[in-house]
mmCIF file of all heavy atoms in Angstrom:
data_model
loop_
_atom_site.group_PDB
_atom_site.id
_atom_site.type_symbol
_atom_site.label_atom_id
_atom_site.label_comp_id
_atom_site.label_asym_id
_atom_site.label_seq_id
_atom_site.Cartn_x
_atom_site.Cartn_y
_atom_site.Cartn_z
ATOM 1 N N ASP E 14 -20.208 -101.360 269.320
ATOM 2 C CA ASP E 14 -19.620 -102.392 268.461
ATOM 3 C C ASP E 14 -20.595 -103.559 268.289
ATOM 4 O O ASP E 14 -20.807 -104.074 267.172
ATOM 5 C CB ASP E 14 -18.329 -102.928 269.087
ATOM 6 C CG ASP E 14 -17.133 -102.023 268.876
ATOM 7 O OD1 ASP E 14 -17.329 -100.868 268.474
ATOM 8 O OD2 ASP E 14 -16.011 -102.482 269.130
ATOM 9 N N ILE E 15 -21.177 -103.972 269.405
ATOM 10 C CA ILE E 15 -22.057 -105.151 269.384
ATOM 11 C C ILE E 15 -23.286 -104.890 268.517
ATOM 12 O O ILE E 15 -23.644 -105.700 267.655
ATOM 13 C CB ILE E 15 -22.484 -105.517 270.815
ATOM 14 C CG1 ILE E 15 -21.261 -105.927 271.646
ATOM 15 C CG2 ILE E 15 -23.518 -106.647 270.791
ATOM 16 C CD1 ILE E 15 -21.551 -106.106 273.123
ATOM 17 N N ILE E 16 -23.924 -103.748 268.744
ATOM 18 C CA ILE E 16 -25.190 -103.495 268.052
ATOM 19 C C ILE E 16 -24.971 -103.210 266.566
ATOM 20 O O ILE E 16 -25.762 -103.638 265.714
ATOM 21 C CB ILE E 16 -25.971 -102.355 268.750
ATOM 22 C CG1 ILE E 16 -27.467 -102.501 268.474
ATOM 23 C CG2 ILE E 16 -25.473 -100.989 268.365
ATOM 24 C CD1 ILE E 16 -28.337 -101.634 269.350
ATOM 25 N N VAL E 17 -23.895 -102.519 266.223
ATOM 26 C CA VAL E 17 -23.588 -102.298 264.810
ATOM 27 C C VAL E 17 -23.274 -103.632 264.140
ATOM 28 O O VAL E 17 -23.704 -103.902 263.010
ATOM 29 C CB VAL E 17 -22.423 -101.303 264.643
ATOM 30 C CG1 VAL E 17 -21.974 -101.231 263.187
ATOM 31 C CG2 VAL E 17 -22.835 -99.902 265.117
ATOM 32 N N GLY E 18 -22.546 -104.475 264.842
ATOM 33 C CA GLY E 18 -22.245 -105.799 264.299
ATOM 34 C C GLY E 18 -23.494 -106.606 264.031
ATOM 35 O O GLY E 18 -23.598 -107.300 263.004
ATOM 36 N N GLU E 19 -24.479 -106.520 264.939
ATOM 37 C CA GLU E 19 -25.735 -107.257 264.745
ATOM 38 C C GLU E 19 -26.505 -106.737 263.532
ATOM 39 O O GLU E 19 -27.079 -107.516 262.759
ATOM 40 C CB GLU E 19 -26.596 -107.142 266.003
ATOM 41 C CG GLU E 19 -26.042 -107.917 267.189
ATOM 42 C CD GLU E 19 -26.877 -107.735 268.441
ATOM 43 O OE1 GLU E 19 -27.825 -106.904 268.414
ATOM 44 O OE2 GLU E 19 -26.595 -108.417 269.441
ATOM 45 N N ILE E 20 -26.515 -105.427 263.349
ATOM 46 C CA ILE E 20 -27.210 -104.839 262.197
ATOM 47 C C ILE E 20 -26.538 -105.272 260.891
ATOM 48 O O ILE E 20 -27.210 -105.609 259.906
ATOM 49 C CB ILE E 20 -27.240 -103.301 262.316
ATOM 50 C CG1 ILE E 20 -28.114 -102.889 263.498
ATOM 51 C CG2 ILE E 20 -27.754 -102.661 261.028
ATOM 52 C CD1 ILE E 20 -28.030 -101.405 263.844
ATOM 53 N N LEU E 21 -25.213 -105.290 260.899
ATOM 54 C CA LEU E 21 -24.483 -105.702 259.698
ATOM 55 C C LEU E 21 -24.695 -107.184 259.406
ATOM 56 O O LEU E 21 -24.964 -107.578 258.258
ATOM 57 C CB LEU E 21 -22.988 -105.410 259.880
ATOM 58 C CG LEU E 21 -22.583 -103.931 259.974
ATOM 59 C CD1 LEU E 21 -21.134 -103.814 260.413
ATOM 60 C CD2 LEU E 21 -22.788 -103.239 258.637
ATOM 61 N N ASP E 22 -24.590 -108.021 260.439
ATOM 62 C CA ASP E 22 -24.707 -109.468 260.245
ATOM 63 C C ASP E 22 -26.106 -109.873 259.763
ATOM 64 O O ASP E 22 -26.254 -110.847 259.017
ATOM 65 C CB ASP E 22 -24.380 -110.206 261.542
ATOM 66 C CG ASP E 22 -22.910 -110.110 261.916
ATOM 67 O OD1 ASP E 22 -22.094 -109.760 261.038
ATOM 68 O OD2 ASP E 22 -22.574 -110.368 263.092
ATOM 69 N N SER E 23 -27.113 -109.103 260.192
ATOM 70 C CA SER E 23 -28.483 -109.444 259.803
ATOM 71 C C SER E 23 -28.824 -109.033 258.378
ATOM 72 O O SER E 23 -29.845 -109.434 257.825
ATOM 73 C CB SER E 23 -29.469 -108.760 260.764
ATOM 74 O OG SER E 23 -29.464 -107.342 260.572
ATOM 75 N N GLY E 24 -27.972 -108.183 257.782
ATOM 76 C CA GLY E 24 -28.251 -107.665 256.445
ATOM 77 C C GLY E 24 -29.235 -106.510 256.453
ATOM 78 O O GLY E 24 -29.565 -105.956 255.390
ATOM 79 N N PHE E 25 -29.675 -106.100 257.650
ATOM 80 C CA PHE E 25 -30.676 -105.045 257.762
ATOM 81 C C PHE E 25 -30.151 -103.702 257.255
ATOM 82 O O PHE E 25 -30.923 -102.838 256.838
ATOM 83 C CB PHE E 25 -31.121 -104.922 259.233
ATOM 84 C CG PHE E 25 -32.301 -104.028 259.453
ATOM 85 C CD1 PHE E 25 -33.572 -104.392 259.026
ATOM 86 C CD2 PHE E 25 -32.148 -102.799 260.082
ATOM 87 C CE1 PHE E 25 -34.663 -103.554 259.224
ATOM 88 C CE2 PHE E 25 -33.231 -101.953 260.286
ATOM 89 C CZ PHE E 25 -34.492 -102.337 259.861
ATOM 90 N N ILE E 26 -28.848 -103.537 257.267
ATOM 91 C CA ILE E 26 -28.263 -102.276 256.817
ATOM 92 C C ILE E 26 -28.670 -101.939 255.385
ATOM 93 O O ILE E 26 -28.776 -100.771 255.009
ATOM 94 C CB ILE E 26 -26.717 -102.312 256.947
ATOM 95 C CG1 ILE E 26 -26.136 -100.908 256.682
ATOM 96 C CG2 ILE E 26 -26.114 -103.359 256.028
ATOM 97 C CD1 ILE E 26 -24.663 -100.796 256.983
ATOM 98 N N GLU E 27 -28.939 -102.954 254.563
ATOM 99 C CA GLU E 27 -29.231 -102.725 253.152
ATOM 100 C C GLU E 27 -30.568 -102.012 252.927
ATOM 101 O O GLU E 27 -30.794 -101.444 251.858
ATOM 102 C CB GLU E 27 -29.216 -104.047 252.394
ATOM 103 C CG GLU E 27 -27.883 -104.785 252.475
ATOM 104 C CD GLU E 27 -26.709 -103.946 251.966
ATOM 105 O OE1 GLU E 27 -26.921 -103.053 251.113
ATOM 106 O OE2 GLU E 27 -25.579 -104.189 252.436
ATOM 107 N N VAL E 28 -31.469 -102.047 253.911
ATOM 108 C CA VAL E 28 -32.788 -101.407 253.733
ATOM 109 C C VAL E 28 -32.877 -100.063 254.441
ATOM 110 O O VAL E 28 -33.947 -99.451 254.492
ATOM 111 C CB VAL E 28 -33.923 -102.333 254.227
ATOM 112 C CG1 VAL E 28 -33.926 -103.626 253.443
ATOM 113 C CG2 VAL E 28 -33.815 -102.610 255.729
ATOM 114 N N LEU E 29 -31.768 -99.589 254.978
ATOM 115 C CA LEU E 29 -31.776 -98.333 255.723
ATOM 116 C C LEU E 29 -31.586 -97.143 254.793
ATOM 117 O O LEU E 29 -31.025 -97.255 253.702
ATOM 118 C CB LEU E 29 -30.662 -98.338 256.776
ATOM 119 C CG LEU E 29 -30.780 -99.410 257.867
ATOM 120 C CD1 LEU E 29 -29.590 -99.330 258.809
ATOM 121 C CD2 LEU E 29 -32.079 -99.257 258.646
ATOM 122 N N GLU E 30 -32.011 -95.980 255.279
ATOM 123 C CA GLU E 30 -31.832 -94.754 254.504
ATOM 124 C C GLU E 30 -30.339 -94.495 254.309
ATOM 125 O O GLU E 30 -29.500 -94.881 255.138
ATOM 126 C CB GLU E 30 -32.498 -93.583 255.210
ATOM 127 C CG GLU E 30 -31.987 -93.316 256.625
ATOM 128 C CD GLU E 30 -32.658 -92.123 257.258
ATOM 129 O OE1 GLU E 30 -32.198 -91.016 256.968
ATOM 130 O OE2 GLU E 30 -33.613 -92.304 258.044
ATOM 131 N N PRO E 31 -29.951 -93.836 253.217
ATOM 132 C CA PRO E 31 -28.537 -93.713 252.840
ATOM 133 C C PRO E 31 -27.637 -93.100 253.913
ATOM 134 O O PRO E 31 -26.516 -93.575 254.110
ATOM 135 C CB PRO E 31 -28.587 -92.833 251.586
ATOM 136 C CG PRO E 31 -29.940 -93.074 251.014
ATOM 137 C CD PRO E 31 -30.849 -93.277 252.182
ATOM 138 N N ASN E 32 -28.090 -92.057 254.595
ATOM 139 C CA ASN E 32 -27.228 -91.397 255.576
ATOM 140 C C ASN E 32 -26.941 -92.286 256.782
ATOM 141 O O ASN E 32 -25.830 -92.273 257.332
ATOM 142 C CB ASN E 32 -27.862 -90.079 256.040
ATOM 143 C CG ASN E 32 -27.843 -89.025 254.951
ATOM 144 O OD1 ASN E 32 -27.236 -89.215 253.901
ATOM 145 N ND2 ASN E 32 -28.503 -87.906 255.183
ATOM 146 N N VAL E 33 -27.944 -93.035 257.211
ATOM 147 C CA VAL E 33 -27.729 -93.972 258.319
ATOM 148 C C VAL E 33 -26.786 -95.081 257.875
ATOM 149 O O VAL E 33 -25.888 -95.501 258.616
ATOM 150 C CB VAL E 33 -29.072 -94.554 258.803
ATOM 151 C CG1 VAL E 33 -28.830 -95.643 259.854
ATOM 152 C CG2 VAL E 33 -29.952 -93.454 259.358
ATOM 153 N N LYS E 34 -26.986 -95.555 256.671
ATOM 154 C CA LYS E 34 -26.096 -96.578 256.118
ATOM 155 C C LYS E 34 -24.648 -96.076 256.101
ATOM 156 O O LYS E 34 -23.709 -96.809 256.455
ATOM 157 C CB LYS E 34 -26.554 -96.958 254.712
ATOM 158 C CG LYS E 34 -25.830 -98.171 254.125
ATOM 159 C CD LYS E 34 -26.286 -98.465 252.697
ATOM 160 C CE LYS E 34 -27.759 -98.834 252.649
ATOM 161 N NZ LYS E 34 -28.161 -99.255 251.272
ATOM 162 N N ALA E 35 -24.471 -94.811 255.709
ATOM 163 C CA ALA E 35 -23.124 -94.234 255.662
ATOM 164 C C ALA E 35 -22.499 -94.173 257.058
ATOM 165 O O ALA E 35 -21.306 -94.457 257.228
ATOM 166 C CB ALA E 35 -23.185 -92.832 255.050
ATOM 167 N N MET E 36 -23.301 -93.808 258.064
ATOM 168 C CA MET E 36 -22.799 -93.742 259.437
ATOM 169 C C MET E 36 -22.364 -95.119 259.925
ATOM 170 O O MET E 36 -21.289 -95.279 260.513
ATOM 171 C CB MET E 36 -23.871 -93.169 260.367
ATOM 172 C CG MET E 36 -23.505 -93.209 261.848
ATOM 173 S SD MET E 36 -22.197 -92.038 262.307
ATOM 174 C CE MET E 36 -23.215 -90.610 262.716
ATOM 175 N N LEU E 37 -23.193 -96.135 259.671
ATOM 176 C CA LEU E 37 -22.857 -97.474 260.141
ATOM 177 C C LEU E 37 -21.660 -98.059 259.397
ATOM 178 O O LEU E 37 -20.827 -98.760 259.992
ATOM 179 C CB LEU E 37 -24.070 -98.390 259.993
ATOM 180 C CG LEU E 37 -25.302 -98.012 260.840
ATOM 181 C CD1 LEU E 37 -26.419 -99.020 260.639
ATOM 182 C CD2 LEU E 37 -24.951 -97.887 262.308
ATOM 183 N N ARG E 38 -21.547 -97.768 258.117
ATOM 184 C CA ARG E 38 -20.381 -98.234 257.361
ATOM 185 C C ARG E 38 -19.112 -97.537 257.852
ATOM 186 O O ARG E 38 -18.034 -98.148 257.925
ATOM 187 C CB ARG E 38 -20.575 -97.973 255.863
ATOM 188 C CG ARG E 38 -21.629 -98.854 255.194
ATOM 189 C CD ARG E 38 -21.248 -100.315 255.245
ATOM 190 N NE ARG E 38 -22.171 -101.153 254.464
ATOM 191 C CZ ARG E 38 -22.254 -102.461 254.568
ATOM 192 N NH1 ARG E 38 -21.478 -103.110 255.431
ATOM 193 N NH2 ARG E 38 -23.111 -103.155 253.833
ATOM 194 N N PHE E 39 -19.244 -96.249 258.164
ATOM 195 C CA PHE E 39 -18.114 -95.512 258.733
ATOM 196 C C PHE E 39 -17.663 -96.172 260.041
ATOM 197 O O PHE E 39 -16.470 -96.390 260.276
ATOM 198 C CB PHE E 39 -18.518 -94.056 258.989
ATOM 199 C CG PHE E 39 -17.581 -93.294 259.888
ATOM 200 C CD1 PHE E 39 -16.443 -92.691 259.376
ATOM 201 C CD2 PHE E 39 -17.829 -93.180 261.258
ATOM 202 C CE1 PHE E 39 -15.565 -91.984 260.204
ATOM 203 C CE2 PHE E 39 -16.962 -92.487 262.089
ATOM 204 C CZ PHE E 39 -15.830 -91.893 261.562
ATOM 205 N N TYR E 40 -18.639 -96.501 260.879
ATOM 206 C CA TYR E 40 -18.312 -97.128 262.172
ATOM 207 C C TYR E 40 -17.640 -98.478 261.951
ATOM 208 O O TYR E 40 -16.620 -98.795 262.597
ATOM 209 C CB TYR E 40 -19.578 -97.302 263.010
ATOM 210 C CG TYR E 40 -19.266 -97.643 264.452
ATOM 211 C CD1 TYR E 40 -19.244 -96.657 265.427
ATOM 212 C CD2 TYR E 40 -18.971 -98.954 264.838
ATOM 213 C CE1 TYR E 40 -18.931 -96.962 266.746
ATOM 214 C CE2 TYR E 40 -18.646 -99.269 266.144
ATOM 215 C CZ TYR E 40 -18.639 -98.268 267.099
ATOM 216 O OH TYR E 40 -18.314 -98.569 268.407
ATOM 217 N N GLU E 41 -18.196 -99.255 261.035
ATOM 218 C CA GLU E 41 -17.641 -100.577 260.758
ATOM 219 C C GLU E 41 -16.180 -100.492 260.320
ATOM 220 O O GLU E 41 -15.322 -101.254 260.786
ATOM 221 C CB GLU E 41 -18.462 -101.265 259.667
ATOM 222 C CG GLU E 41 -17.896 -102.601 259.222
ATOM 223 C CD GLU E 41 -18.552 -103.123 257.952
ATOM 224 O OE1 GLU E 41 -19.142 -102.306 257.192
ATOM 225 O OE2 GLU E 41 -18.472 -104.340 257.700
ATOM 226 N N LYS E 42 -15.887 -99.542 259.446
ATOM 227 C CA LYS E 42 -14.555 -99.466 258.848
ATOM 228 C C LYS E 42 -13.525 -98.823 259.768
ATOM 229 O O LYS E 42 -12.358 -99.240 259.781
ATOM 230 C CB LYS E 42 -14.633 -98.690 257.529
ATOM 231 C CG LYS E 42 -13.309 -98.624 256.777
ATOM 232 C CD LYS E 42 -13.475 -97.948 255.420
ATOM 233 C CE LYS E 42 -12.154 -97.905 254.672
ATOM 234 N NZ LYS E 42 -12.286 -97.253 253.340
ATOM 235 N N HIS E 43 -13.947 -97.818 260.559
ATOM 236 C CA HIS E 43 -12.965 -97.007 261.273
ATOM 237 C C HIS E 43 -12.989 -97.116 262.797
ATOM 238 O O HIS E 43 -12.060 -96.627 263.448
ATOM 239 C CB HIS E 43 -13.142 -95.536 260.879
ATOM 240 C CG HIS E 43 -12.955 -95.281 259.419
ATOM 241 N ND1 HIS E 43 -11.730 -95.394 258.791
ATOM 242 C CD2 HIS E 43 -13.838 -94.942 258.452
ATOM 243 C CE1 HIS E 43 -11.860 -95.125 257.505
ATOM 244 N NE2 HIS E 43 -13.124 -94.846 257.271
ATOM 245 N N LEU E 44 -14.026 -97.751 263.370
ATOM 246 C CA LEU E 44 -14.115 -97.810 264.826
ATOM 247 C C LEU E 44 -14.337 -99.212 265.386
ATOM 248 O O LEU E 44 -13.973 -99.471 266.534
ATOM 249 C CB LEU E 44 -15.251 -96.893 265.320
ATOM 250 C CG LEU E 44 -15.031 -95.394 265.094
ATOM 251 C CD1 LEU E 44 -16.328 -94.628 265.335
ATOM 252 C CD2 LEU E 44 -13.930 -94.870 266.007
ATOM 253 N N MET E 45 -14.914 -100.085 264.622
ATOM 254 C CA MET E 45 -15.237 -101.429 265.101
ATOM 255 C C MET E 45 -13.966 -102.156 265.551
ATOM 256 O O MET E 45 -13.007 -102.295 264.784
ATOM 257 C CB MET E 45 -15.924 -102.226 263.996
ATOM 258 C CG MET E 45 -16.364 -103.620 264.416
ATOM 259 S SD MET E 45 -17.942 -103.602 265.261
ATOM 260 C CE MET E 45 -19.055 -103.368 263.871
ATOM 261 N N ASP E 46 -13.941 -102.575 266.806
ATOM 262 C CA ASP E 46 -12.803 -103.325 267.364
ATOM 263 C C ASP E 46 -11.475 -102.591 267.190
ATOM 264 O O ASP E 46 -10.414 -103.222 267.050
ATOM 265 C CB ASP E 46 -12.701 -104.712 266.714
ATOM 266 C CG ASP E 46 -13.930 -105.565 266.974
ATOM 267 O OD1 ASP E 46 -14.477 -105.492 268.090
ATOM 268 O OD2 ASP E 46 -14.356 -106.281 266.048
ATOM 269 N N ASP E 47 -11.520 -101.280 267.206
ATOM 270 C CA ASP E 47 -10.302 -100.489 267.008
ATOM 271 C C ASP E 47 -10.320 -99.313 267.978
ATOM 272 O O ASP E 47 -10.980 -98.306 267.744
ATOM 273 C CB ASP E 47 -10.229 -99.993 265.561
ATOM 274 C CG ASP E 47 -8.940 -99.219 265.267
ATOM 275 O OD1 ASP E 47 -8.130 -99.024 266.201
ATOM 276 O OD2 ASP E 47 -8.762 -98.801 264.117
ATOM 277 N N THR E 48 -9.609 -99.430 269.090
ATOM 278 C CA THR E 48 -9.560 -98.350 270.090
ATOM 279 C C THR E 48 -8.280 -97.526 269.977
ATOM 280 O O THR E 48 -8.039 -96.638 270.796
ATOM 281 C CB THR E 48 -9.662 -98.929 271.508
ATOM 282 O OG1 THR E 48 -8.575 -99.854 271.726
ATOM 283 C CG2 THR E 48 -10.983 -99.642 271.721
ATOM 284 N N GLY E 49 -7.477 -97.815 268.957
ATOM 285 C CA GLY E 49 -6.215 -97.096 268.803
ATOM 286 C C GLY E 49 -6.175 -96.165 267.609
ATOM 287 O O GLY E 49 -5.132 -95.568 267.320
ATOM 288 N N GLY E 50 -7.293 -96.032 266.886
ATOM 289 C CA GLY E 50 -7.320 -95.149 265.731
ATOM 290 C C GLY E 50 -6.543 -95.658 264.545
ATOM 291 O O GLY E 50 -6.248 -94.899 263.616
ATOM 292 N N ILE E 51 -6.204 -96.940 264.546
ATOM 293 C CA ILE E 51 -5.418 -97.509 263.448
ATOM 294 C C ILE E 51 -6.128 -97.308 262.115
ATOM 295 O O ILE E 51 -5.517 -96.932 261.104
ATOM 296 C CB ILE E 51 -5.159 -99.013 263.677
ATOM 297 C CG1 ILE E 51 -4.485 -99.253 265.037
ATOM 298 C CG2 ILE E 51 -4.312 -99.582 262.549
ATOM 299 C CD1 ILE E 51 -3.150 -98.589 265.185
ATOM 300 N N SER E 52 -7.443 -97.553 262.108
ATOM 301 C CA SER E 52 -8.212 -97.449 260.858
ATOM 302 C C SER E 52 -8.501 -96.006 260.458
ATOM 303 O O SER E 52 -9.067 -95.763 259.393
ATOM 304 C CB SER E 52 -9.537 -98.215 261.003
ATOM 305 O OG SER E 52 -9.295 -99.574 261.277
ATOM 306 N N MET E 53 -8.124 -95.062 261.317
ATOM 307 C CA MET E 53 -8.283 -93.647 260.969
ATOM 308 C C MET E 53 -6.921 -93.000 260.727
ATOM 309 O O MET E 53 -6.733 -91.803 260.929
ATOM 310 C CB MET E 53 -9.058 -92.909 262.063
ATOM 311 C CG MET E 53 -10.508 -93.332 262.112
ATOM 312 S SD MET E 53 -11.565 -92.275 263.129
ATOM 313 C CE MET E 53 -11.012 -92.727 264.750
ATOM 314 N N ASN E 54 -5.974 -93.839 260.355
ATOM 315 C CA ASN E 54 -4.636 -93.384 259.957
ATOM 316 C C ASN E 54 -3.812 -92.810 261.105
ATOM 317 O O ASN E 54 -2.948 -91.963 260.889
ATOM 318 C CB ASN E 54 -4.736 -92.339 258.830
ATOM 319 C CG ASN E 54 -5.485 -92.856 257.622
ATOM 320 O OD1 ASN E 54 -5.304 -94.005 257.226
ATOM 321 N ND2 ASN E 54 -6.340 -92.024 257.038
#
């Protein structure tokens, strides 16, 4: 959570290759600060 948050906050995600960007966006939306699977329905 911490390291993905740092990558997002720095804006560095925008220069990453598409597949890595997709993985980090997936993590941000569905796992970040969510241990109950709420964001995964």
Side-chain angles (χ1 to χ4, degrees):
D14 281 14
I15 296 171
I16 205 167
V17 172
E19 290 177 354
I20 293 171
L21 294 169
D22 291 343
S23 69
F25 189 70
I26 189 172
E27 301 303 333
V28 299
L29 297 178
E30 58 179 277
N32 290 352
V33 174
K34 189 182 297 186
M36 173 71 90
L37 296 182
R38 290 297 187 196
F39 165 84
Y40 193 97
E41 175 192 21
K42 184 175 181 180
H43 300 291
L44 294 168
M45 183 83 76
D46 298 322
D47 183 357
T48 59
I51 305 299
S52 300
M53 291 192 288
N54 303 319

